Amino acid sequence: METTELGGRAESILRGVARFCSNNGLGGDPSVLSSPEIIEAYLIKGLADRASSTKGTYRWALGRILEVGLGDGLSFRGSIAARPY
């Protein structure tokens, strides 16, 4: 899958990660994206107000982006589902 198949979502997600890194003093180095710890921090802290399903979508999309860009996708643990009523 090419990142173009993600449409504008890939660019939007990458801008969000870059903004998160900049706001947290991590700089704008693209190699930051290859760190699962930074990605998880973004998903937990940067997307704190988003639903777990949205975080899962971002996790999947970032994995696809990294797979295409780095030639090897990263594995992330799944989101914890919300407790049932």
Side-chain angles (χ1 to χ4, degrees), residues 4-33:
T4 55
E5 290 182 38
L6 294 172
R9 182 183 298 173
E11 290 177 20
S12 174
I13 291 172
L14 290 174
R15 279 193 307 270
V17 174
R19 187 171 41 251
F20 171 79
C21 290
S22 176
N23 291 343
N24 288 282
L26 301 171
D29 186 0
S31 67
V32 170
L33 280 179

Side-chain angles (χ1 to χ4, degrees), residues 9-69:
R9 182 183 298 173
E11 290 177 20
S12 174
I13 291 172
L14 290 174
R15 279 193 307 270
V17 174
R19 187 171 41 251
F20 171 79
C21 290
S22 176
N23 291 343
N24 288 282
L26 301 171
D29 186 0
S31 67
V32 170
L33 280 179
S34 64
S35 169
E37 293 83 10
I38 298 299
I39 298 302
E40 283 299 317
Y42 170 67
L43 294 170
I44 293 167
K45 187 177 176 187
L47 300 177
D49 60 338
R50 302 291 181 103
S52 63
S53 59
T54 300
K55 293 175 188 178
T57 300
Y58 274 61
R59 181 178 285 113
W60 172 83
L62 283 163
R64 299 302 295 163
I65 292 166
L66 293 173
E67 184 176 305
V68 171

